[in-house]
Amino acid sequence: MPRPDDLDTELTAQAVFTALADPTRRALLAELAAHGPATATDLANRLPISRQAITKHLGLLADAGIVRAEPGERRRIRYYLQSRPVSVAQSFLAALAHSWDSRLSALHDHLDRT
C-alpha cells in the first residue's frame, strides 16, 4: 500500500506532467521564468495568444500548482512561478532515470562478460 507521501508525490508529478504537455503552457512558463511575475494582459502583449486563452492556461497551471495567482491593484491578478511542484516532478524523473541507469549498467556489464 503506497504511503501518503508517495501518493502526494505521484499526484503532484502527474499534475505537472499533464500541465507541461501543452506547448502554450510551456511558453507561458518560459515567459514567467524569463521576465518574472505577470498578469494575463502582460503575457498577451508578449505572446501571440489571446488574453482569454492565456487566462484559461494560467488557471490550469495554477490547478497544477505550478503558478500562484495573487490579486493586485485594480483587481489585476499577477501570476508567480512555484518551484516546488516542478521539483517534485524532477525528483520523480530522477528516480526513474536512476532505475534505468542501473538496469542499463547491468546489461552493459553482462554484455561485456559474454
Side-chain angles (χ1 to χ4, degrees):
M1 178 172 195
R3 294 187 329 233
D5 289 354
D6 294 340
L7 185 57
D8 289 344
T9 297
E10 174 68 26
L11 292 174
T12 299
Q14 180 179 342
V16 169
F17 296 140
T18 299
L20 294 178
D22 185 274
T24 299
R25 291 192 284 274
R26 290 193 305 271
L28 290 171
L29 291 174
E31 194 65 28
L32 289 171
H35 301 288
T39 66
T41 302
D42 296 335
L43 294 166
N45 289 334
R46 293 183 249 176
L47 298 168
I49 308 163
S50 72
R51 191 186 59 74
Q52 292 79 7
I54 286 174
T55 300
K56 176 185 165 219
H57 286 292
L58 287 169
L60 293 168
L61 290 168
D63 289 346
I66 301 172
V67 298
R68 179 183 81 243
E70 282 191 13
E73 57 198 52
R74 295 187 291 167
R75 299 184 326 170
R76 295 185 76 194
I77 297 172
R78 188 167 295 280
Y79 293 87
Y80 296 80
L81 285 178
Q82 299 297 289
S83 61
R84 186 195 159 303
V86 175
S87 295
V88 169
Q90 187 176 21
S91 295
F92 182 87
L93 287 175
L96 287 176
H98 177 73
S99 174
W100 275 104
D101 287 345
S102 298
R103 290 177 182 159
L104 290 173
S105 180
L107 176 61
H108 184 267
D109 292 345
H110 173 75
L111 293 173
D112 280 349
R113 286 190 304 265
T114 57

